[in-house]
């Protein structure tokens, strides 16, 4: 049924693919070598549309020696992609187990089976996923999953994506997540150089300079224009394609139009069922270069061409063809893979009944596989056509959509869907569901940082459900109230907790019970009560047992949080990583971002700013409450480095914190703003930022916030009595014991804070040590303060770190520098291979990469240049 | 995409030969910049070649720092800038 092909869609063996790609092929081969040696690699190959990524893959596959199996799957530009589409392409050839797991909708089973098939034998395997910017969530999760498990397997996993669109696609989050995963490598497919374009146009009448200017070196445009034989701007590529279509015989033209409607991948049987065409017409499409034959299916050579053909069809004709595709396709099967396609064609055909038949089914299938984005999209699609559905059915669809949207960070869509579902239940007089709907809205509001709305929803839920008497829904409503109070560090959590617990133990929704136990646990742990963590672990046990994944993720997250409240950074990092792993394994995407924001904050405190930045970046795109944390961390790092764009972040963060209206956010933002003012020497603005949240922190007895905010007040001379309840190192600092404070900070791993404490020391030695720490962290701003203190003491300020300027201007990797050093000493490739324990072929790749980077033609020249560089840097 | 002015100090002076080697060095920097979405527009170099003022387009300050460290270039300060055209008001 599926294309299980050695080479996938859009692979074209045009001559372009073989030009100027030696370096990339070399890299790929050396990574395959590493894979073969049991160091699995996941390579992301990025380039603009038409850069020649597929051609590169084709050339790479062709160059492989016989016996290296290649598995190729591609993602497609459906508005709701097929769940695990690329794996569906590959699975039949890779392992039958995967196919059956997919049919059962057993996500974890699919992942495990796929990993098992890839790692089963020591024979190296190549798996290629093309066009991952169109990937569905489950495919991205699969990559995430594999990336953490192929480290010691003989696997090369290659993922191509369009880097010109990736920023706005879910893959950007994955790229951010995997930034620091050791098996990951990146490879860029840049546009062709003027020389390459000139070489390609050598036998034509085209002006190579103009051709390069018009195409900016885009391999697809170059190929198309060369094929077309005359100049044209990239915009006219569509015309070029259509001109070729118009030259076809009418039946062949119909065939290519039908194929364009079917999609990037065309099953001949479906095409022949849709119109009065047969294999000869399709063969002609292949002969004319529109389609490629890939095993049992045909694929478009270029997606851009397919779009051009599709767009040129009159709307009526297009709808008619889509309707025929639905008719033919439904006989082919109703597996998840086909359901998504059926729903898409049904919508394009404007066939309401078919949409309502296939879209909800496709949504259910996607949800089962954990592709929440696709599920939400399919339910949304169904709802657009749902006017003729009965009210309960519509309410049911709305609830499904609301839940899926909530899981994928589409807060507003989730709220709208809940609102409408609640209205429908009100109309039906179903008060229990109305109350429960309000309760479910609470989390959505909290995740979007809308505290006031969350409280309103929680109160509505209690108001509606209380008169109806005790029951599981009321237990949940109380539990959610308890959670709200816990987040606000409000002791009302205990009262709500008691009520919820009594009901939950009687009426038994395990979710409500774990929520209460865990919230009370957090409250207690925050107060330093060791029973708190005990309670949280019990909650976790219950929730794991009941398979409540989102609950469990939240508890994991908070277990890390309570370690942080004890300033145990290492434990916190370990637990956050555990929480992340749990989320990844269970596909709780929406929660991954929250955990990442927390982890970023810990990395920030631990002085690992690069990692903190990596973790923060993907969060800025969303609109979740945890974005506040990411903005604050990034702004503080920028302020400490004296980098620009601090206040745009801090202003937005303050706005969001006001809306979220919880101490955890307002205090976080206030401390960051105080610090930024202080580093800017705007001392007079510090107190105004922190006073109000400081008072609230005192009322809520929150040690860290009392400490940090109090310390800023103390620092600028606006605090007379250091508060007792402050976190210990801050308390020591405010008591004037900078020495003990510094050593306590160091002990906990807060490098920057330790150096800040030393600023209060009267000893040159301490201030020098502070300067050293600031230099190591790149904390330019605080270093100025330390320098100033040293000058006040009449001491010499150490010079800044002497950076290794241009010692390695060619950007060689550490390995390449090593190899270059050996070339300089006259080693042969074989000798280098022996010394470095790598294959001669790998040495070859390194050498050719060194020559390219240094821009020299021979090893002798490279050695000479290396000697030159060494003598220069030692001067 | 924002524009940044990056100030750098080269204690031993910046020496890029005006030949193929120099071109390779510059294009190498350009390639590595591209990996993090940064474009080097141009630079001004002080007479003694110890200071440079480099104009870059990039997504954010962190990308500018990544690009610099990939090419082992020092950074004194990053300033976000916009263009002021003196003839705009005529």
């Amino acid at each position: 049924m599926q294309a299980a092909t050695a080479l996938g869609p859009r692979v074209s063996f045009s001559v372009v693919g073989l030009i100027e790609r030696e370096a990339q092929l070399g890299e790929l081969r050396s990574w395959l070598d590493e894979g073969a040696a049991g160091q699995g690699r996941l390579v992301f190959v990025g380039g603009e549309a038409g850069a020649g990524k597929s051609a590169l893959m084709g050339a790479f596959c062709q160059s492989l020696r016989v016996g290296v199996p290649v598995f190729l799957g591609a993602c497609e530009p459906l508005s709701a992609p097929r769940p695990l589409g690329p794996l569906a392409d590959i699975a039949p050839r890779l392992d039958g187990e995967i196919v059956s797991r997919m049919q059962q909708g057993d996500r974890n089973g699919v992942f495990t089976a796929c990993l098992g098939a890839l790692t089963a034998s020591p024979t190296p395997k190549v798996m290629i996923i093309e066009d991952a910017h169109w990937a569905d969530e489950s495919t991205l999760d699969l990559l995430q999953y594999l990336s953490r498990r192929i480290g010691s397997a003989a696997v090369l996993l290659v993922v191509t994506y369009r880097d010109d669109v990736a920023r706005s696609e879910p893959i950007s989050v994955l790229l951010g997540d995997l930034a620091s995963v050791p098996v990951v490598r990146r490879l860029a497919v840049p546009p062709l150089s003027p020389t390459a374009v000139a070489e390609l146009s050598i036998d034509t009448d085209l002006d190579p300079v103009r051709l390069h200017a018009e195409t900016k070196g885009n391999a697809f445009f170059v190929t198309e224009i060369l094929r077309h034989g005359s100049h044209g701007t990239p915009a006219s590529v569509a015309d070029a394609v259509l001109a070729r279509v118009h030259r076809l015989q009418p039946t062949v033209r119909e065939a290519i139009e039908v194929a364009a409607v079917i999609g990037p991948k065309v099953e001949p049987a479906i095409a022949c069922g849709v119109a009065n065409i047969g294999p000869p017409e399709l063969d002609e499409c292949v002969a004319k270069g529109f389609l490629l034959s890939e095993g049992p299916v045909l694929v478009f050579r270029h997606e851009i061409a397919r779009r051009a053909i599709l767009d040129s069809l009159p709307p009526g004709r297009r709808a008619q063809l889509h309707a025929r595709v639905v008719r033919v396709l439904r006989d082919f099967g109703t597996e998840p893979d086909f359901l998504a396609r059926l729903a898409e064609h049904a919508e394009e055909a404007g066939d309401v009944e078919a949409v309502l038949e296939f879209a909800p089914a496709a949504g259910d299938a996607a949800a089962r596989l954990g592709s929440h984005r696709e599920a939400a999209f399919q339910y949304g699609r169904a709802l657009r056509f749902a006017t003729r559905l009965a009210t309960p059915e519509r309410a049911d669809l709305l609830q499904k959509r609301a839940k899926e949207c909530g899981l994928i960070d589409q807060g507003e869509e989730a709220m709208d869907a809940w609102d409408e579902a609640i209205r429908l239940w009100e109309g039906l007089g179903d008060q229990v569901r109305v109350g429960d709907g309000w309760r479910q809205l609470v989390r959505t509001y909290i995740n979007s940082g809308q505290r006031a709305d969350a409280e309103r929803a929680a109160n509505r839920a209690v108001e509606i459900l209380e008169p109806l008497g005790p029951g599981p829904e009321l237990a949940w409503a109380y539990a959610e109230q308890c959670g709200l109070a816990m987040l606000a560090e409000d002791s009302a959590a205990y009262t709500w907790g008691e009520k919820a617990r009594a009901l939950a133990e009687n009426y038994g929704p395990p979710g409500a019970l774990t929520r209460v136990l865990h919230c009370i646990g957090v409250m207690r742990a925050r107060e330093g009560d060791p029973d708190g963590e005990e309670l949280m672990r019990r909650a976790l046990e219950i929730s794991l047992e009941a398979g409540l994944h989102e609950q469990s993720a939240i508890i994991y997250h908070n277990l890390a949080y309570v370690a942080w409240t004890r300033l145990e950074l290492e434990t916190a990092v370990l637990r956050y990583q555990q929480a992340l792993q749990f989320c990844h394994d269970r596909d709780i995407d929406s929660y991954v971002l929250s955990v990442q924001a927390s982890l970023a904050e810990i990395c920030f405190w631990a002085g690992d700013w690069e990692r903190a930045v990596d973790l923060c970046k993907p969060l800025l795109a969303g609109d979740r409450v945890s974005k506040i944390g990411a903005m604050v961390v990034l702004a503080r790092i920028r302020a400490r480095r004296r980098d620009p764009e601090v206040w745009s972040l801090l202003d937005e963060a303050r706005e969001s914190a006001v809306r979220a209206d919880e101490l955890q956010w307002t205090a976080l933002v206030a401390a960051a703003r105080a610090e930024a003012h202080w580093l800017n020497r705007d001392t007079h603005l510090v107190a105004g930022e922190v006073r109000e949240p400081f008072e609230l922190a005192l009322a809520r007895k929150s040690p860290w916030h009392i400490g940090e905010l109090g310390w800023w007040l103390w620092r600028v001379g606006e605090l007379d009595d250091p508060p007792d309840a402050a976190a210990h190192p801050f308390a020591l600092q405010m008591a004037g014991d900078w020495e003990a404070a510094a050593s306590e900070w160091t002990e906990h791993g807060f490098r920057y804070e330790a150096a800040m404490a030393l600023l209060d020391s009267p000893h040159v030695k301490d201030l020098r040590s502070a300067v050293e720490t600031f230099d190591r962290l790149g904390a330019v701003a605080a270093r100025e303060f330390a320098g100033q203190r040293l000058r006040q003491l009449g001491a010499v300020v150490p010079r800044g770190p002497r950076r290794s300027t241009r010692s390695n201007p060619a950007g060689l990797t550490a390995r390449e520098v090593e190899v270059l050093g050996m070339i300089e000493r006259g080693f042969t490739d074989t000798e280098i291979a022996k010394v470095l324990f790598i294959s001669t072929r790998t040495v070859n790749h390194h050498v050719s990469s060194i020559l390219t980077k240094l821009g020299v033609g021979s090893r002798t020249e490279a050695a000479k240049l290396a000697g030159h560089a060494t003598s220069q840097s030692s001067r | 995409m924002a524009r940044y002015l990056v100030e750098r100090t080269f204690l031993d002076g910046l020496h890029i030969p005006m030949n193929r080697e120099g071109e390779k060095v510059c294009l190498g920097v350009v390639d590595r910049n591209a990996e993090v979405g940064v474009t080097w527009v141009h630079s001004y170099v002080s007479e003694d070649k110890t200071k440079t003022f480099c104009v870059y387009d990039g997504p954010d300050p962190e990308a500018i720092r990544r690009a610099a460290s990939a090419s082992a270039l020092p950074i004194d300060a990053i300033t976000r800038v916009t263009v002021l055209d003196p003839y705009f008001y005529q």
Side-chain angles (χ1 to χ4, degrees):
Chain A
M1 144 209 105
Q2 281 297 331
T5 52
L7 299 168
R10 305 208 306 120
V11 171
S12 69
F13 288 106
S14 60
V15 58
V16 176
L18 304 174
I19 281 201
E20 273 192 347
R21 297 293 182 246
E22 293 80 5
Q24 282 85 354
L25 284 170
E27 295 266 51
L28 285 169
R29 279 189 218 111
S30 73
W31 289 325
L32 177 62
D33 285 348
E34 289 171 2
Q39 290 176 293
R41 294 281 175 248
L42 167 55
V43 183
F44 286 100
V45 178
E48 61 173 350
K53 300 178 289 295
S54 304
L56 175 66
M57 289 302 108
F60 173 60
C61 294
Q62 254 198 344
S63 77
L64 294 176
R65 68 188 150 79
V66 184
V68 176
V70 178
F71 302 93
L72 198 143
C75 308
E76 293 166 1
L78 301 173
S79 39
R82 305 174 289 151
L84 289 172
L87 189 61
D89 294 348
I90 293 169
R93 235 173 39 108
L94 186 56
D95 186 357
E97 170 80 7
I98 307 175
V99 182
S100 59
R101 295 285 174 184
M102 284 178 96
Q103 278 159 356
Q104 293 156 9
D106 172 5
R107 214 181 110 85
N108 287 338
V110 170
F111 285 14
T112 324
C114 181
L115 179 70
L118 285 175
T119 56
S121 75
T123 321
K125 290 185 188 61
V126 178
M127 177 162 142
I128 302 175
I129 308 278
E130 287 231 74
D131 296 325
H133 50 280
W134 287 321
D136 64 292
E137 275 171 293
S138 300
T139 297
L140 296 178
D141 292 339
L142 174 67
L143 292 174
Q144 173 93 253
Y145 173 88
L146 292 175
S147 74
R148 291 173 205 282
R149 289 168 180 80
I150 57 165
S152 53
V155 177
L156 176 68
L157 188 53
V158 186
V159 178
T160 72
Y161 69 101
R162 276 174 56 185
D163 57 6
D164 51 344
V165 295
R167 255 165 204 281
S168 55
E169 301 289 339
I171 190 175
S172 65
V173 178
L174 178 73
L175 290 168
D177 277 358
L178 297 186
S180 52
V181 174
V183 302
V184 172
R185 296 287 181 275
R186 300 272 196 118
L187 188 63
V189 183
L192 298 172
S193 73
T195 328
V197 172
E199 210 170 304
L200 285 169
S201 55
I202 221 156
D203 289 330
T204 70
D205 300 332
L206 299 169
D207 168 9
V209 177
R210 187 170 156 205
L211 180 57
H212 184 261
E214 278 174 354
T215 58
K216 302 264 188 308
N218 180 292
F220 166 66
F221 295 145
V222 173
T223 324
E224 280 304 303
I225 292 174
L226 285 173
R227 207 194 295 274
H228 193 52
S230 67
H231 282 292
T233 57
S236 74
V237 165
D239 296 337
V241 171
L242 293 178
R244 281 168 52 212
V245 171
H246 285 289
R247 284 198 293 271
L248 298 173
Q249 285 173 354
T251 48
V252 180
R253 190 171 151 189
E254 185 175 18
I256 196 66
E257 287 171 356
V258 164
V261 167
I262 292 173
K265 194 177 67 194
V266 182
E267 294 87 343
I270 294 178
C272 296
V274 169
N276 190 20
I277 51 173
E281 282 78 16
L282 292 172
D283 286 348
E284 188 62 13
C285 294
V286 174
K288 287 280 188 279
F290 288 98
L291 299 178
L292 291 167
S293 179
E294 298 296 356
V297 298
L298 298 167
V299 297
F300 270 82
R301 186 184 284 270
H302 291 301
E303 173 60 16
I304 306 172
R306 186 182 78 86
R307 288 244 52 112
I309 296 168
L310 198 57
D311 291 344
S312 73
L313 292 178
R317 162 126 177 101
R318 202 160 54 195
Q320 186 193 30
L321 287 177
H322 279 295
R324 287 200 216 146
V325 175
V326 172
R327 260 206 314 276
V328 176
L329 198 56
R330 74 191 317 159
D331 295 333
F332 264 72
T334 46
E335 286 113 52
D337 205 30
F338 282 102
L339 288 172
R341 286 174 71 184
L342 276 162
E344 172 117 357
H345 288 296
E347 179 168 13
E348 291 292 336
D351 181 345
V352 178
E353 232 162 83
V355 171
L356 290 177
E357 180 184 351
F358 297 118
D364 292 347
R368 259 200 313 278
L369 281 169
S371 292
H372 301 299
R373 200 171 301 275
E374 285 64 65
F377 180 90
Q378 296 290 6
Y379 292 137
R381 170 180 268 159
L383 282 163
R384 282 202 299 281
F385 290 80
T387 36
R388 63 167 74 162
L389 279 186
T391 312
E393 283 171 20
R394 252 177 69 209
D396 184 49
L397 265 180
L398 282 162
Q399 179 180 350
K400 284 178 173 174
R401 174 160 163 84
K403 282 189 177 165
E404 297 299 320
C405 286
L407 288 170
I408 55 169
D409 263 348
Q410 294 185 347
E412 243 162 75
E413 286 82 351
M415 287 171 211
D416 289 347
W418 280 125
D419 277 343
E420 209 186 324
I422 289 171
R423 241 197 18 241
L424 294 180
W425 286 320
E426 266 168 358
L428 292 167
D430 191 341
Q431 283 302 93
V432 173
R433 295 191 83 172
V434 171
D436 200 46
W438 280 109
R439 188 270 299 173
Q440 302 210 48
L441 253 170
V442 175
R443 275 226 74 76
T444 312
Y445 281 129
I446 282 294
N447 287 342
S448 318
Q450 290 168 249
R451 173 87 194 176
D453 292 317
E455 283 174 5
R456 190 172 50 87
N459 293 338
R460 286 284 290 150
V462 171
E463 270 165 39
I464 294 168
L465 292 169
E466 257 179 357
L468 302 176
E473 290 83 9
L474 186 60
W476 254 119
Y478 288 152
E480 214 54 82
Q481 289 277 14
C482 171
L484 273 176
M486 179 274 279
L487 286 172
E489 305 183 29
D490 183 341
S491 57
Y494 291 115
T495 336
W496 287 114
E498 285 307 310
K499 287 174 126 177
R501 195 168 168 175
L503 278 186
E505 274 166 358
N506 272 328
Y507 292 92
L513 182 61
T514 59
R515 180 132 187 84
V516 174
L517 292 179
H518 139 246
C519 290
I520 298 300
V522 173
M523 291 293 287
R524 295 234 181 103
R526 220 163 17 201
E527 288 160 14
D529 179 349
D531 289 348
E533 218 175 290
E534 212 33 58
L535 221 49
M536 293 171 72
R537 293 203 179 274
R538 242 184 70 208
L540 183 62
E541 239 167 73
I542 300 173
S543 130
L544 286 174
E545 184 121 326
L548 303 167
H549 297 333
E550 205 189 353
Q551 272 300 330
S552 311
I554 297 175
I555 303 173
Y556 269 118
H557 188 181
N558 277 330
L559 277 168
Y561 161 78
V562 298
W564 146 249
T565 61
R566 295 192 301 263
L567 306 188
E568 294 168 8
L569 293 189
E570 269 174 47
T571 313
V573 167
L574 283 177
R575 290 183 179 180
Y576 278 126
Q577 275 162 348
Q578 208 176 6
L580 271 182
Q581 189 64 54
F582 181 85
C583 293
H584 286 317
D585 289 352
R586 309 285 186 305
D587 187 37
I588 316 160
D589 288 12
S590 64
Y591 212 65
V592 166
L593 297 178
S594 303
V595 181
Q596 269 180 354
S598 303
L599 185 56
E601 202 186 328
I602 302 293
C603 291
F604 163 75
W605 291 115
D608 188 353
W609 296 352
E610 283 303 313
R611 182 153 179 230
V613 165
D614 277 337
L615 287 162
C616 285
K617 282 286 158 67
L619 291 160
L620 296 181
D623 217 359
R624 231 182 139 70
V625 70
S626 46
K627 183 182 172 187
I628 302 176
M631 288 192 287
V632 162
V633 166
L634 203 55
R636 291 184 92 159
I637 291 174
R638 285 181 185 171
R640 290 177 180 190
R641 288 171 166 174
R642 279 233 187 290
D643 276 350
E645 288 163 71
V646 172
W647 288 102
S648 50
L649 287 174
L650 288 181
D651 287 346
E652 191 187 336
R654 181 166 64 178
E655 222 169 89
S656 306
V658 168
R659 225 173 336 116
D661 196 24
E662 277 163 14
L663 180 64
Q664 56 170 327
W665 304 120
T666 48
L668 188 72
V669 175
R673 293 178 68 92
E675 177 177 16
H677 283 309
W678 188 80
L679 291 172
N680 258 349
R681 297 178 193 275
D682 287 328
T683 315
H684 61 289
L685 295 173
V686 170
E689 295 285 356
V690 297
R691 183 148 288 132
E692 202 180 306
F694 174 65
E695 295 299 332
L696 184 61
L698 284 175
R700 295 282 155 84
K701 303 192 178 70
S702 179
W704 174 266
H705 298 312
I706 294 174
E708 193 182 18
L709 300 175
W711 180 69
W712 280 114
L713 288 172
W714 176 82
R715 182 101 244 162
V716 298
E718 296 271 344
L719 186 75
D720 300 327
D721 297 317
D724 298 331
H728 203 244
F730 285 122
L732 287 170
Q733 254 169 286
M734 288 186 272
D737 193 349
W738 51 266
E739 199 168 9
S743 75
E744 203 161 298
W745 282 128
T746 307
E747 197 180 306
H748 286 299
F750 293 66
R751 292 154 66 198
Y752 181 89
E753 282 58 40
M756 283 297 286
L758 291 180
L759 281 188
D760 294 338
S761 163
H763 306 304
V764 171
K765 171 175 70 74
D766 293 329
L767 289 159
R768 288 233 166 99
S769 142
V771 165
E772 228 168 81
T773 304
F774 290 142
D775 277 343
R776 222 171 301 137
L777 289 166
V780 180
R783 186 194 202 271
E784 288 169 15
F785 286 86
Q788 195 181 340
R789 288 274 295 138
L790 278 169
R791 271 190 297 276
Q792 282 167 359
L793 296 174
V796 180
V797 185
R799 274 182 76 176
R802 280 186 65 118
R803 277 156 280 217
S804 57
T805 59
R806 298 199 56 240
S807 60
N808 177 18
L812 301 180
T813 64
R815 190 58 138 191
E816 286 163 359
V817 170
E818 210 174 347
V819 172
L820 180 59
M822 299 178 79
I823 293 177
E824 198 199 338
R825 278 177 280 154
F827 281 60
T828 67
D829 284 3
T830 327
E831 286 164 345
I832 296 175
K834 263 192 201 137
V835 175
L836 297 180
F837 295 104
I838 53 181
S839 75
T840 320
R841 213 166 117 198
T842 307
V843 176
N844 264 318
H845 297 315
H846 286 312
V847 173
S848 68
S849 164
I850 291 169
L851 298 187
T852 315
K853 284 182 179 174
L854 294 177
V856 294
S858 72
R859 300 162 57 99
T860 331
E861 277 180 77
K864 226 170 28 192
L865 208 61
H868 182 61
T870 324
S871 65
Q872 219 177 25
S873 59
S874 60
R875 235 186 279 158
Chain B
M1 197 66 55
R3 180 155 288 196
Y4 299 94
L5 182 78
V6 181
E7 297 167 54
R8 313 184 189 281
T9 303
F10 296 87
L11 294 173
D12 303 325
L14 177 67
H15 300 288
I16 299 177
M18 290 301 289
N19 57 18
R20 237 179 114 64
E21 192 197 333
E23 184 194 331
K24 280 283 167 188
V25 168
C26 286
L27 291 181
V29 172
V30 168
D31 283 350
R32 287 185 293 275
N33 287 348
E35 280 166 27
V36 285
V38 168
T39 310
W40 177 13
V41 181
H42 58 241
S43 294
Y44 302 93
V45 184
S46 69
E47 243 177 327
D48 64 358
K49 298 192 173 169
T50 60
K51 283 236 28 148
T52 63
F53 302 85
C54 310
V55 179
Y56 283 92
D57 287 336
D60 53 41
E62 290 73 32
I64 300 287
R65 282 194 182 274
R66 294 253 153 104
S69 86
S71 294
L73 294 167
I75 290 181
D76 300 338
I78 303 174
T79 312
R80 185 166 172 168
V81 294
T82 50
V83 172
L84 173 74
D85 182 346
Y87 305 105
F88 176 78
Y89 301 96
Q90 280 183 357

